Amino acid sequence: VQLVESGGGSVQAGGSLRLSCSASGDTFSRRCLAWFRQAPGKEREGVARLDKYGLTDYADSVKGRFAADTDSAETTLYLLMNSLKPEDTAMYFCAAGPLPGLDCSFAGDNFPYWGQGTQVTVSL
C-alpha cells in the first residue's frame, strides 16, 4: 500500500489544521494505522493510532486536541489538529501496518508502510 500525506502548512498558535493520508494499492481496512511526527533534533514520536476496529489512542501531549479517523471507504486517514502549539511543529508522517492488524503499538516495525511526510509549522 502506498501512502501520500497532504494538508500541512504554517499556522499561528491556537489554530487548526487537518492532515490527510491517501492510500493506493489497497485500503486501510483491517490495518493498524498511525500518525507520527519528528521535529528537528528529536526522535520520532507516535501521535495517534487506530486499531483495525477504529479505536483510537493518542500521545498525552496531543490528547484532547488531536483526532484521527478514516473515511467510510477506508482509503483516507485524517488527523484533525486543534489548539496547535509551537511545540507541535514537526514533520508529520502517516503509517500503516500489514494485514492482519494485530499489534498497533507505536513500535516502528509495526508499520512497514509510510508516507513521505508533510510539514506542520506553528508560530506564536
Side-chain angles (χ1 to χ4, degrees):
V1 58
Q2 293 79 47
L3 308 179
V4 177
E5 299 101 336
S6 61
S10 297
V11 65
Q12 288 191 320
S16 298
L17 283 174
R18 189 178 77 161
L19 306 184
S20 299
C21 173
S22 297
S24 60
D26 199 358
T27 70
F28 290 133
S29 179
R30 298 180 296 122
R31 296 180 188 271
C32 298
L33 305 173
W35 286 97
F36 291 82
R37 67 185 180 187
Q38 188 164 22
K42 294 188 176 181
E43 292 188 355
R44 186 177 63 196
E45 173 190 21
V47 173
R49 57 194 173 117
L50 296 83
D51 70 10
K52 60 183 177 181
Y53 304 109
L55 297 176
T56 54
D57 185 39
Y58 301 93
D60 288 343
S61 58
V62 306
K63 204 167 288 185
R65 300 188 297 122
F66 289 14
D69 65 359
T70 62
D71 66 347
S72 57
E74 297 187 277
T75 59
T76 305
L77 171 67
Y78 299 103
L79 183 67
L80 176 61
M81 306 184 293
N82 294 318
S83 302
L84 282 162
K85 304 175 181 180
E87 50 264 45
D88 295 319
T89 295
M91 185 72 78
Y92 283 71
F93 300 88
C94 62
L99 291 172
L102 297 178
D103 185 352
C104 298
S105 61
F106 280 128
D109 55 5
N110 286 336
F111 298 95
Y113 307 106
W114 292 78
Q116 82 289 353
T118 186
Q119 178 68 36
V120 172
T121 302
V122 184
S123 58
L124 288 170

